[in-house]
Amino acid sequence: MNKEDLFKDKIVVVTGAASGIGRSVAARLGRLGTTVCAADINEPGTRETVKLIGAAGGNAYAAKLDVTKSAEIKKLIDNVIKKHGRLDYMFNNAGIAIVGETRDMTDEHWKKIIDINLMGVLAGTLAAYRVMVRQGFGHIVNTASLAGLIPVPLETSYSLTKYAVVGLSTSLRGEGAALGVKVSVVCPGFIRTPILDNYIAVGFDPADLTDKPKKMTEVNDAAHIILSGVAKNKSIILVGSDARIAWFLYKIWPGLVDFIGRKAMDDLRKIRKEK
Ligand code: NAD
């Protein structure tokens, strides 16, 4: 049996499903015969995802969700249980990126990214975990990043949230195993999605950046890697050769990764024409 056949007839919630990785994972799940609840703060975007899944013969519906509101997440999960009687997979994938120097960031920047990337994933994890422990089965899949495994200067706030998501997921995995609940964390390198253009830039103009990522994974390839990793119940799912190489390098030669990070800082400061 193909590992991905596991998803047939399953009930799945995907957050951040209006765009990028979430949309692509939702669409692939739809093709595999899963019933997908596509949740996002961007309602027109989720409707578009649902349309895509329907056009390919899949089964999906849209839900408006702001992951920073834990009551909304609980209500969404309650509704899924009322409608289907169970929840098989919960993909806590919604996220944003803020790029810039910590000395330029305001408290509001920190609050925004922690509320969405960390508290949003935590709320989705807790709501799903409680239901799954009661059921005695289920799989939670949280999206972190390569920036949750290696240091990334200029993305310090992002990295903080993603390291926390890795810690949450890998630790909860050990707690949930004997209760029938699986937990995986997805750590992508660069994936070609709108987040690479829509991030919040603090203290610099993105147009001045000449050094754009050279090697990027296409989003549909990312969705395939993610679902294969979930089907194999991997703890950490690395997505893209950049993620695999960078994490390996960091483990064997952290000083080199530090050096590359400092060089990226120097390059940005040259653009800002200050030290
Ligand atoms: P994306 O911008 O295409 O999609 C992110 C989605 O999250 C959007 O649909 C957005 O509306 C939604 N969202 C944002 N705030 C929300 C909120 N408060 N409530 C509900 N939904 C909200 O970006 P993507 O690249 O698909 O990112 C998906 C996840 O992958 C994120 O967690 C991101 O940090 C992570 N990631 C992406 C990359 C990459 O290179 N694209 C790399 C590593 C990790």
Side-chain angles (χ1 to χ4, degrees):
M1 180 175 89
N2 179 341
K3 285 260 182 205
E4 284 187 327
D5 287 346
L6 277 180
F7 298 110
K8 193 165 164 33
D9 299 327
K10 295 296 192 294
I11 308 299
V12 178
V13 172
V14 181
T15 74
S19 174
I21 296 171
R23 169 175 284 172
S24 200
V25 164
R28 190 171 184 91
L29 284 169
R31 283 199 300 279
L32 293 169
T34 310
T35 296
V36 182
C37 170
D40 202 291
I41 200 164
N42 170 358
E43 271 188 294
T46 45
R47 283 199 294 271
E48 188 57 35
T49 301
V50 167
K51 221 158 85 187
L52 276 171
I53 295 173
N59 193 11
Y61 57 98
K64 183 175 183 320
L65 173 72
D66 179 349
V67 295
T68 67
K69 306 213 163 93
S70 62
E72 282 190 16
I73 299 193
K74 281 193 201 117
K75 197 164 158 211
L76 177 90
I77 302 292
D78 283 351
N79 287 343
V80 168
I81 299 300
K82 266 187 214 138
K83 201 172 156 101
H84 305 287
R86 65 179 207 275
L87 172 64
D88 295 299
Y89 293 90
M90 176 79 191
F91 286 79
N92 293 300
N93 162 79
I96 61 160
I98 299 184
V99 181
E101 288 201 44
T102 298
R103 60 178 164 168
D104 295 326
M105 285 187 51
T106 62
D107 290 353
E108 283 67 38
H109 288 128
W110 284 94
K111 183 170 170 7
K112 187 177 172 81
I113 197 160
I114 289 170
D115 278 353
I116 297 174
N117 288 13
L118 174 53
M119 300 313 285
V121 170
L122 177 63
T125 299
L126 293 180
Y129 189 68
R130 285 174 187 136
V131 164
M132 289 174 177
V133 167
R134 267 203 308 275
Q135 295 175 161
F137 63 85
H139 197 150
I140 296 169
V141 184
N142 292 333
T143 308
S145 168
L146 171 63
L149 297 171
I150 71 167
V152 185
L154 278 183
E155 294 184 22
T156 300
S157 63
Y158 184 77
S159 192
L160 172 146
T161 63
K162 298 301 189 178
Y163 262 85
V165 169
V166 171
L168 165 72
S169 312
T170 51
S171 300
L172 187 62
R173 181 179 172 88
E175 282 190 42
L179 306 175
V181 183
K182 298 169 181 161
V183 184
S184 300
V185 63
V186 177
C187 293
F190 284 112
I191 315 295
R192 200 184 306 279
T193 74
I195 207 172
L196 300 180
D197 298 314
N198 298 341
Y199 64 85
I200 299 169
V202 181
F204 69 99
D205 182 351
D208 291 337
L209 286 183
T210 45
D211 197 15
K212 298 264 158 66
K214 287 165 194 81
K215 174 89 184 64
M216 268 193 259
T217 303
E218 297 304 326
V219 73
N220 290 336
D221 296 335
H224 172 60
I225 295 165
I226 291 167
L227 292 184
S228 306
V230 173
K232 289 177 194 148
N233 187 24
K234 282 192 174 175
S235 174
I236 296 177
I237 303 170
L238 291 165
V239 185
S241 53
D242 54 347
R244 287 196 305 276
I245 292 166
W247 195 38
F248 176 72
L249 257 186
Y250 187 58
K251 283 188 289 188
I252 59 162
W253 196 359
L256 178 67
V257 175
D258 266 7
F259 171 78
I260 295 168
R262 279 205 302 275
K263 188 169 171 327
M265 278 305 322
D266 288 347
D267 292 348
L268 185 88
R269 285 180 180 150
K270 267 180 216 140
I271 291 168
R272 289 168 50 131
K273 295 191 180 36
E274 58 168 287
K275 285 281 167 182

